[in-house]
Amino acid sequence: RARRAGPPDGGWGWMIVAGCFLVTICTRAVTRCISIFFVEFQAYFGQDYARTAWIHSIVDCATMLCAPLGSLISNHVSCQVGIMLGGLLASTGLILSSFATSLEHLYLSLGVLTGLGFALCYSPAIAMVGKYFNKRKALAYGIAMSGSGIGTFILAPVVQLLIEQFSWRGALLILGGFVLNLCVCGALMRPISLKEDCKTASELPEQNYVPETEKQDLKRMSICSPLIKLWPHECLCYCSWKEYDFLLMPGFMVLALSILFMAYGCSPLFVYLVPYALSVGVSHHQAAFLMSILGVIDIVGNITFGWLTDRRCLKKYRYFCYLFAVGMDGLSCLFLPVLQSFPLLVPFSFTFGYFDGAYVTLIPVVTADVVGTPLLSSALGVVYFLHAIPYLVSPPVAGWLVDTTGSYTASFLLCGFSMIFSSALLCFARLAKKIKRTHLPSLTGNTALKQHIWTNGAIAYSVTAELDQRDVEFLAVDTNSFSNR
């Protein structure tokens, strides 16, 4: 297949966006709606908050923990195969959950099996959008990720109605059939080959953080492209290892650490918003409507923030837009304990939903800015993998705090401060990087002066450049002699 010079920014790319949109509905929206089953599970099995919250935690944890597996299948087998397989697993998990006789049964079927299926679909679908778009990347991601909000808006009241009409077992069975649409989404994910997938290390973002020896290795690999057919196994192992060399970038390390705190803060809200609303006297339908509001405004955040950060004036400030959105969600959580009526909870759903949609849209965009598009699929697998432990731990910890203190205040405050810390960490890291850059020109000037004096005025080539040229000549001769044999 011929390689494109760059992403098409349209054409079949819009079908990829549509497929990713449906994937986010069938994965993230369904996961959010599991919180509507919380009260039903608690009443049916007679368990406390903490034990019941493990169901939602395991779904989220399995989805994010197995995200690198989804990226691996997408990179080395096929994105289409991975998403179709994930759809079958997720649907099977939901159908088996409808026959559950204990919480432990739900942990395995609804938690592990469904979460694994979602993992095989989520990160590959998101990475495919990044392959097809460059100039309008944030807008494309905004539309694709809005499926989470639209799905929550539609599914929240529908799931509540299904529970009332068919009990929680019938509702899970119907959701299992609905999730089979992931197989259709997988069929839309037509692969694309880009020339930038073969970039050398010198062309990747944050190149100053890659060790010089690795730059030379990748440069030689780009020169050795005619020899790949001669040594396929060595090249495959080399490229597989290089897919994850972004883990050593300081910029990615800071982003990864901040995501741990952000994921801890955002997860309990989706589990406990409905139970909290019921505890302050809100009716069941109003509590479900709060989730619908949150979902609708989530869509607005997805699309408007995606469109705004694609504008020329904001495009280079997408990093700061991301940390601003995370910080605003944290502030919203801090005010939640004093909102104890439906009219007060509605503005919270608006605010939290909008900024949640904003930063979710920008996660893959910021990740691509840090590691580059060729490594986006692997990087997103790691990014969503980092969500796993906070998603697993935070809802049960929040439930334990509710059981211990008798109120939701401590849980929501912990969530708010965690997200604010995530935002502050990114802010301080960027400021430190900017300060470091201000001292870089003087150091660079001294180095250039020393090179000029040492080479006695010969500035056409450095010693490194001369060595590189010799390597090129040697490899060219070696290739010709090998082919003549």
Side-chain angles (χ1 to χ4, degrees):
R1 188 189 299 116
R3 293 185 181 273
R4 287 178 175 267
D9 271 297
W12 190 259
W14 294 116
M15 293 302 295
I16 300 296
V17 170
C20 187
F21 175 84
L22 293 173
V23 167
T24 55
I25 289 178
C26 294
T27 56
R28 302 312 299 157
V30 170
T31 301
R32 288 181 178 184
C33 289
I34 290 174
S35 63
I36 298 174
F37 291 91
F38 187 93
V39 177
E40 301 296 326
F41 291 152
Q42 192 178 24
Y44 185 87
F45 296 108
Q47 299 295 336
D48 57 16
Y49 277 85
R51 283 178 59 83
T52 309
W54 277 106
I55 299 169
H56 192 282
S57 296
I58 295 172
V59 176
D60 265 336
C61 177
T63 301
M64 301 308 176
L65 190 67
C66 299
L69 178 61
S71 297
L72 187 67
I73 293 174
S74 174
N75 291 340
H76 297 285
V77 183
S78 167
C79 181
Q80 295 170 316
V81 171
I83 294 176
M84 288 180 178
L85 177 61
L88 290 173
L89 290 175
S91 178
T92 303
L94 285 164
I95 292 171
L96 291 176
S97 299
S98 66
F99 300 99
T101 56
S102 65
L103 281 182
E104 288 74 17
H105 186 160
L106 288 172
Y107 293 162
L108 292 174
S109 57
L110 185 56
V112 176
L113 190 57
T114 301
L116 175 61
F118 288 165
L120 297 183
C121 302
Y122 191 55
S123 57
I126 293 173
M128 283 295 289
V129 176
K131 291 276 188 180
Y132 272 83
F133 287 87
N134 183 24
K135 295 178 182 178
R136 292 179 282 185
K137 183 182 288 185
L139 176 61
Y141 272 124
I143 296 171
M145 305 296 278
S146 67
S148 176
I150 292 175
T152 304
F153 172 69
I154 296 172
L155 288 179
V158 169
V159 167
Q160 183 64 45
L161 185 63
L162 289 174
I163 291 172
E164 293 174 0
Q165 295 293 322
F166 305 105
S167 80
W168 62 267
R169 295 185 185 276
L172 285 175
L173 190 63
I174 294 170
L175 279 179
F178 172 73
V179 164
L180 273 175
N181 285 294
L182 286 169
C183 296
V184 179
C185 302
L188 295 174
M189 298 296 169
R190 182 189 296 170
I192 184 174
S193 297
L194 301 175
K195 288 183 179 179
E196 65 178 359
D197 291 340
C198 297
K199 278 185 177 180
T200 60
S202 60
E203 295 172 313
L204 292 176
E206 300 201 23
Q207 57 183 348
N208 53 319
Y209 298 129
V210 182
E212 190 64 33
T213 55
E214 294 184 14
K215 290 182 185 178
Q216 299 300 325
D217 289 342
L218 280 181
K219 193 179 292 183
R220 291 188 179 98
M221 279 299 293
S222 64
I223 295 166
C224 288
S225 56
L227 304 178
I228 288 178
K229 293 182 179 179
L230 303 178
W231 303 293
H233 299 294
E234 289 80 355
C235 291
L236 178 61
C237 295
Y238 188 91
C239 294
S240 298
W241 179 75
K242 283 298 176 185
E243 285 176 8
Y244 292 95
D245 63 354
F246 60 85
L247 292 171
L248 300 177
M249 292 180 181
F252 183 80
M253 291 179 182
V254 174
L255 179 65
L257 183 61
S258 72
I259 282 172
L260 290 174
F261 288 97
M262 180 272 293
Y264 182 92
C266 72
S267 182
L269 190 280
F270 292 102
V271 181
Y272 292 107
L273 178 60
V274 172
Y276 172 71
L278 294 174
S279 71
V280 296
V282 175
S283 69
H284 282 78
H285 285 285
Q286 286 179 329
F289 187 61
L290 287 174
M291 288 294 291
S292 295
I293 293 172
L294 193 150
V296 169
I297 304 304
D298 196 292
I299 305 163
V300 179
N302 286 143
I303 298 175
T304 59
F305 239 68
W307 182 82
L308 286 172
T309 52
D310 268 343
R311 300 306 94 196
R312 185 175 297 177
C313 57
L314 288 178
K315 197 164 188 176
K316 58 183 177 180
Y317 299 110
R318 291 187 292 202
Y319 187 93
F320 291 102
C321 292
Y322 167 77
L323 64 90
F324 173 74
V326 173
M328 289 301 295
D329 258 2
L331 286 175
S332 300
C333 288
L334 296 182
F335 286 102
L336 184 55
V338 300
L339 308 177
Q340 300 188 358
S341 65
F342 181 72
L344 292 177
L345 287 171
V346 169
F348 167 81
S349 293
F350 272 86
T351 306
F352 188 89
Y354 181 80
F355 288 108
D356 178 75
Y359 78 74
V360 166
T361 296
L362 291 180
I363 285 176
V365 177
V366 170
T367 305
D369 289 344
V370 172
V371 305
T373 302
L375 300 175
L376 180 59
S377 180
S378 300
L380 280 177
V382 174
V383 165
Y384 292 127
F385 170 83
L386 293 170
H387 286 67
I389 301 303
Y391 277 6
L392 178 68
V393 173
S394 57
V397 168
W400 176 79
L401 289 172
V402 173
D403 292 331
T404 304
T405 63
S407 73
Y408 291 85
T409 303
S411 300
F412 292 145
L413 290 179
L414 185 59
C415 292
F417 284 123
S418 180
M419 297 188 80
I420 290 172
F421 179 77
S422 171
S423 178
L425 182 65
L426 289 174
C427 185
F428 287 135
R430 183 50 64 97
L431 289 175
K433 186 177 179 180
K434 197 170 184 178
I435 292 171
K436 184 179 179 181
R437 281 179 177 175
T438 58
H439 299 286
L440 197 60
S442 58
L443 295 174
T444 306
N446 293 336
T447 305
L449 182 61
K450 289 178 181 178
Q451 275 192 342
H452 180 75
I453 295 172
W454 193 83
T455 56
N456 196 23
I459 57 174
Y461 297 97
S462 66
V463 175
T464 307
E466 290 177 356
L467 291 175
D468 291 343
Q469 184 63 28
R470 291 173 188 172
D471 290 341
V472 173
E473 294 171 357
F474 170 76
L475 288 168
V477 171
D478 191 50
T479 307
N480 292 331
S481 61
F482 195 91
S483 60
N484 290 332
R485 292 178 191 175

